[in-house]
C-alpha cells in the first residue's frame, strides 16, 4: 500500500467497509487515532525513537519527561565535555543508594518516578546538559480541513499495511461485526510480527543476536522469529 495519506486511508476504510453513512465517516478519525496509539505500544522500531535535551537543576533529583514520552530508552548528561550514561534502576534502589535526595553528587542512576518524571541519584551537583532518548507517538494524522493539517506521518510512510489493518479492525467493531474484526486482527498481527522482526534485525550488533540496549553482555532472549 504505497503513498498513503489521511485522505487515501479514509477512502480505503470506507470503500473496504462498504459503509458510506455519515455516522461511520464521522468516527473514522477515532479508528485511526486508536490504531496509531496501538502501533506505538506494540512495535519497537527506531523510527519511533525521539531525542530531547534539557538541563538538570543543581540539587534537584527530578527531571520532567517530554509530554509525548511513552518509554524512556536512555538518559545521559555531559560533564567536562564527556558524555555519561545513567543506568536505569527502580525507585526503591535509588532510595537505598541515595536516601537524602537533596544531597548532591555526580548522577549514576535514574528511575521512572511516575508518568511524567524521572528521578536521578545522586541529585546533580551542577546544571549538567541532559539528553534523553525515548519512544514517542509520531505526529498524529489529522483531516485535511484542520488548521495545521498533518496528512502523513511515520505510520503512513513506513507501516501503512499495519495501520490500515488496525483501522479496519476498529471499523468492524464499530459496525458490531466481531467476526470480520477477527479477520483484520489476524492480518494486523501478522504485519506486526514482521515489523517486530525488522526492528530486531536493526538492533543486531554481530549479525547473530540483538544488541543489549543497556550495554554489556548480549543476553537478550531471542523471539520466535
Amino acid at each position: 500500500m504505497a503513498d498513503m495519506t489521511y485522505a487515501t486511508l479514509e477512502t480505503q476504510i470506507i470503500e473496504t467497509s462498504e459503509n458510506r453513512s455519515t455516522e461511520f465517516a464521522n468516527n473514522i478519525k477515532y479508528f485511526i487515532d486508536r490504531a496509531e496509539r496501538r502501533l506505538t505500544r506494540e512495535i519497537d522500531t527506531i523510527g519511533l525513537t525521539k531525542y530531547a535535551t534539557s538541563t538538570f537543576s543543581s540539587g534537584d533529583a527530578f527531571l520532567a519527561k517530554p509530554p509525548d514520552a511513552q518509554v524512556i530508552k536512555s538518559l545521559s548528561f555531559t560533564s567536562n565535555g564527556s558524555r555519561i550514561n545513567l543506568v536505569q534502576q527502580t525507585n526503591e534502589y535509588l532510595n537505598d543508594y541515595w536516601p537524602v535526595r537533596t544531597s548532591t553528587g555526580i548522577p549514576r542512576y535514574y528511575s521512572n518516578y511516575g508518568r511524567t518524571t524521572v528521578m536521578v541519584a545522586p541529585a546533580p551537583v551542577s546544571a549538567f546538559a541532559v539528553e534523553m532518548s525515548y519512544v514517542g507517538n509520531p505526529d498524529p494524522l489529522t483531516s485535511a480541513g484542520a488548521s495545521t493539517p498533518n496528512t502523513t506521518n511515520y505510520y503512513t510512510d513506513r507501516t501503512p499495511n499495519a495501520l490500515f489493518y488496525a483501522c479496519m479492525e476498529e471499523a468492524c467493531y464499530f459496525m458490531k461485526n466481531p467476526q470480520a474484526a477477527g479477520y483484520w486482527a489476524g492480518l494486523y498481527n501478522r504485519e506486526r510480527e514482521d515489523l517486530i522482526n525488522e526492528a530486531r534485525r536493526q538492533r543486531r550488533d554481530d549479525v547473530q543476536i540483538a544488541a543489549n540496549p543497556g550495554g554489556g553482555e548480549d543476553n537478550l532472549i531471542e523471539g520466535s522469529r
Side-chain angles (χ1 to χ4, degrees), residues 11-26 28 175:
T11 299
Q12 286 269 343
I13 294 170
I14 291 173
E15 292 185 351
T16 305
S17 301
E18 296 184 334
N19 188 335
R20 291 172 173 79
S21 70
T22 301
E23 180 185 27
F24 183 80
N26 289 341
I28 288 177
M175 295 186 294

Side-chain angles (χ1 to χ4, degrees), residues 4-70:
M4 176 183 281
T5 66
Y6 181 94
T8 60
L9 175 59
E10 183 178 46
T11 299
Q12 286 269 343
I13 294 170
I14 291 173
E15 292 185 351
T16 305
S17 301
E18 296 184 334
N19 188 335
R20 291 172 173 79
S21 70
T22 301
E23 180 185 27
F24 183 80
N26 289 341
N27 278 274
I28 288 177
K29 59 186 176 183
Y30 301 116
F31 307 158
I32 295 173
D33 178 68
R34 288 195 290 271
E36 289 181 310
R37 293 176 184 273
R38 182 179 180 182
L39 280 164
T40 301
R41 291 194 305 269
E42 295 186 357
I43 66 174
D44 182 17
T45 172
I46 59 174
L48 297 181
T49 301
K50 298 184 178 182
Y51 297 87
T53 57
S54 60
T55 57
F56 283 129
S57 295
S58 179
D60 186 355
F62 299 97
L63 180 72
K65 299 178 184 178
D68 63 335
Q70 303 296 318

Side-chain angles (χ1 to χ4, degrees), residues 196-218:
I196 291 172
N197 189 54
E198 179 182 89
R200 185 183 296 119
R201 293 166 65 191
Q202 289 173 331
R203 291 193 299 270
R204 293 185 185 278
D205 62 359
D206 59 2
V207 198
Q208 294 184 17
I209 193 169
N212 188 335
E217 181 184 359
D218 282 343

Side-chain angles (χ1 to χ4, degrees), residues 56 59-63 75 77 84-112 118-125 128:
F56 283 129
D60 186 355
F62 299 97
L63 180 72
L75 184 66
F77 67 95
I84 299 174
N85 288 305
L86 301 184
V87 177
Q88 183 177 356
Q89 297 285 0
T90 63
N91 291 328
E92 293 77 12
Y93 184 96
L94 267 64
N95 289 335
D96 287 341
Y97 173 73
W98 205 261
V100 181
R101 290 178 180 170
T102 55
S103 180
T104 61
I106 301 297
R108 295 185 60 186
Y109 304 106
Y110 79 93
S111 65
N112 285 288
V118 296
M119 178 170 64
V120 300
V125 70
F128 300 116

Side-chain angles (χ1 to χ4, degrees), residues 94-169:
L94 267 64
N95 289 335
D96 287 341
Y97 173 73
W98 205 261
V100 181
R101 290 178 180 170
T102 55
S103 180
T104 61
I106 301 297
R108 295 185 60 186
Y109 304 106
Y110 79 93
S111 65
N112 285 288
Y113 193 81
R115 174 71 180 82
T116 61
T117 309
V118 296
M119 178 170 64
V120 300
V125 70
S126 182
F128 300 116
V130 183
E131 181 178 271
M132 180 184 294
S133 68
Y134 65 96
V135 174
N137 291 312
D139 293 336
L141 291 171
T142 60
S143 65
S147 58
T148 55
N150 185 38
T151 57
T152 62
N153 66 4
Y154 178 80
Y155 292 137
T156 59
D157 293 341
R158 301 301 299 272
T159 67
N161 289 340
L163 178 60
F164 174 65
Y165 299 153
C167 288
M168 285 302 303
E169 183 181 350

